[in-house]
Structure formats: structure tokens, C-alpha cells
Amino acid sequence: MDRISNPFAPGAGNPPPELAGRSHLLEEAHIALARIKSGKPAQGIILTGLRGVGKTVLLTEIGHIAQQQGYEAISLEAHEAKPLAELLVPSLRELLYQLSRIEGAKQLAARGLRVLRGFLSSITINIEGVTFGLGVEPETGTADSGDLEADLPRLFEVIGEAAKAADKPIVLLIDEIQYLQSQEFSALIMALHRINQRQLPITMIAAGLPQTLALAGNSKSYAERLFKYPMVGELQKEDAALALTLPARQEGVEFSSEAIDLILETTRRYPYFLQQWGHDTWNAAAASPIRKQDVEVATVVAISELDQSFFKVRFDRCTPSEKRYMRALADLGPGTQRSGEVAEKLKVKVTSLGPVRNGLIRKGMIYSPAHGDTAFTVPLFDEFMMRVMPQIGDNRE
Ligand SMILES: Nc1ncnc2c1ncn2[C@@H]1O[C@H](COP(=O)(O)OP(=O)(O)OP(=O)(O)O)[C@@H](O)[C@H]1O
Ligand SMILES: [Mg+2]
């Protein structure tokens, strides 16, 4: 069918033509934001879920909801190789300059800038392009000890005071939050705890892989109290069907019910795959209604596309021993497996695999659903591993 009108656009972070099955999560976010804005207590939200379930898309949508409510939204994406301060400082600086233009908040925002400058001078990392105007001298003795868990709460407090004076609620939207170092995550939670105690208008809505839950370290009890951790998963059957049929119907195209059933079964109702299959089935079909045979043709295309992009970029980031570990895990089948059995497959002691397993968890390839258990963070990755490495012994260093 006409490719120009194909409504499906696979790709990470792409807003879907129909954001199906997430209205309850958006409603939760809406309520939490509205409560915090009006000075009432509410928990922040940390969305957790596997790769491609739609976390980034939800975070973007929540950002829009926040802006409609009058929030200033700061969007950040954590990165394995970047310290939290490097992500935060430029946005906080910009925010404070913005607040400094609001009558009633000028002085507190100016103080915020001085404290931010002091904070910056106490950290050893070099953040390019961050300059402060004339007259912004670093304030000494506040948020500049060099201990992030002590400094970040002070810094947030000063910024929160300025935001309150400006009557401007702030939401931090942090994606890929599992990539923060444990100590950074802990500092962030402590900062938000301080904000919460002082009832200042800053909150955080974040998204990350399931390993995020294990990150809190020193601040575990605050992290549990201050946040809800809704799981974002595969779509319910009806919603998955709507994700396909509504966008197609907008273009005057229908799916046969057999075609829908086969897509739902093949994709396991994971959003990323639904978009991929929607896209490729549309292109494979000659006319409406899209039939089961079109899906069968499209499946070959879709898998080859995924193998060259979605799966491959992740696979390529791993070392040979990490790949072998994942191949052994895949050999055990889909879903959660015992780490001990992976070791047995590889004929080594489970303890000797600790570093490899931890490396894969840090890279976001696998996670530990429970002690001693291991699972892929990428849906259907086990099948990909079997395709890309037919033998466990392949790919030796
Ligand atoms: N509720 C939904 N209904 C239909 N399609 C969706 C839905 N949510 C997300 N998608 C589509 O799924 C794909 C993946 O979404 P997104 O990039 O937000 O996932 P993610 O959880 O952030 O993945 P990752 O962990 O890889 O960053 C996108 O193409 C998006 O358009
Ligand atoms: Mg994402």
C-alpha cells in the first residue's frame, strides 16, 4: 500500500500514531503534578520497564501535561559515561536565569546562581560552555563541600526557594535513569527528600530499566516513600489491537482479525514491535483489508530490520565474553533464568561470571528480577541471540 500514508513509524522515542493503553499512567502523573503544584503532598513517579515498552514516549507526554499545568520542565537523559552534575548544571543555570527575570524571585534566583557557581567550582569535572554573568560570585560554604549527597540537597533547596518565590513549579524529567551511579541516584533522592520536607515546588518523574529499583543504596527508604514505581509493560490485547487499527482506520485501511491476532502473537504486544510490524505489514499489503498473509511476509522484513538496528546496536556494545554470557542465557529460553544455570551452560563457576554479569547489568542488557535470577531487558532478545550466534562457543576472544 501507499508508503507515503503509512501511519506507523518505528524508532525509539518516536511518538506513536496512537498512544494506546496508557491513560491510567498519564492520569496518575496528571494528579501528582497538580497536587504538588498546589502545595499538597504527592509521590513522584519512576516508570520502569523493558526496552521498547514506551517509557520515553510517556515521559515526553508527561512533560507536555506538566507544561500545560504551568510547570517548567527540565528534560535530561542519563548516560553511562556522564556524571549527573554534568547533566544537571547547564539546565539548572538556565532555569535560574529564567527565574531571575520573574519579579519577586530575583534575589533568590540570584542567590541560586551564586550557590550553583560554588557547587560547580567544588566538583572536579569540567563542564563546557557553562558561564555565569558578571556579578555572579560563587557563594562559599553552601553546596560546595564536594560531597554530592550533601551538596545536591542544599542546591535543590536554594533553587526550590527561588521557584516558590516565582510561583513556578519545576519538574525534572529524567530518562534512562538506571545509568546514574548509585551514589548520584542516592544524592538525587536525598535532594528531593529535602524539597519534600520543605514543601518546595520541585518534583521528579523519571523512567528507567528495571535495574533502577536496585539503585537507591543509602537513600533506599526515602526512595521507597517518595516515589511510585509503576511498571510499564506490554500492552493488553485490546490496546495492542487499537494501536494498530486506529491509525490505519484514519487512512481508510482495515486489518482482518486474523492479521491482528498474528501480529499480537508475534510481537508479544510490545509497543516497539507493534510499530515495526504495523509499518512493515502496511508496506507488504496490496490493499485493505490487511490479511494474515501480509503479516507473514512482513515478519521476515521486520525481523531483519530489528536484527540490523534495534537488536544489533545493543549487541555491538558488548564484549565477546558478554556476548557468550547472553548466548548461554538465551539457550535457556525466554523469560527469567537462574544465574547458576547460565554458569552451568558455560561450564564455569557462577562466581567467576560475576563481573561479566554486572557489566551487562550496567550496560542495561540484562537485569536481576530477583536474587540469583537473570533476564534480558530487551524483549525477544533471546531469539535474536540464537540467530546471531548459532553456537554458544562462537565468538571467542
Ligand atoms: N502505548 C503505545 N502504543 C503504541 N505504540 C507505542 C506506545 N508506547 C510506545 N510506542 C512505540 O514504541 C516504540 C518505543 O517507545 P519508546 O522509545 O518510548 O520506548 P522506551 O521504553 O523508551 O524504550 P528504550 O528503553 O529502548 O528507551 C516507539 O516507536 C513508540 O512510538
Ligand atoms: Mg527510551
Side-chain angles (χ1 to χ4, degrees), residues 12-13 50-57 77 175-176 207 314:
L50 303 181
R51 290 278 172 212
V53 291
K55 301 178 297 296
T56 298
V57 155
E77 185 178 325
D175 202 0
E176 303 283 352
R314 310 222 143 88

Side-chain angles (χ1 to χ4, degrees), residues 85 89 115-125 127 130 132 143:
V89 168
V115 172
L116 183 64
R117 191 161 180 195
F119 172 78
L120 186 60
S121 65
S122 74
I123 51 182
T124 47
I125 50 169
I127 305 176
V130 175
F132 289 88

Side-chain angles (χ1 to χ4, degrees), residues 206-223:
L209 293 173
Q211 40 266 64
T212 306
L213 299 167
L215 213 58
N218 290 340
S219 62
K220 194 164 188 289
S221 65
Y222 296 153

Side-chain angles (χ1 to χ4, degrees), residues 41-78:
Q43 286 171 301
I45 297 174
I46 300 184
L47 305 164
T48 65
L50 303 181
R51 290 278 172 212
V53 291
K55 301 178 297 296
T56 298
V57 155
L58 276 170
L59 214 51
T60 308
E61 190 54 33
I62 291 170
H64 294 149
I65 294 174
Q67 276 160 343
Q68 277 162 15
Q69 291 189 17
Y71 271 81
E72 198 57 53
I74 296 181
S75 299
L76 308 172
E77 185 178 325

Side-chain angles (χ1 to χ4, degrees), residues 1-7 279 282-284:
M1 258 167 339
D2 171 25
R3 292 182 168 218
I4 297 172
S5 52
N6 191 332
H279 180 262
W282 178 284
N283 289 346

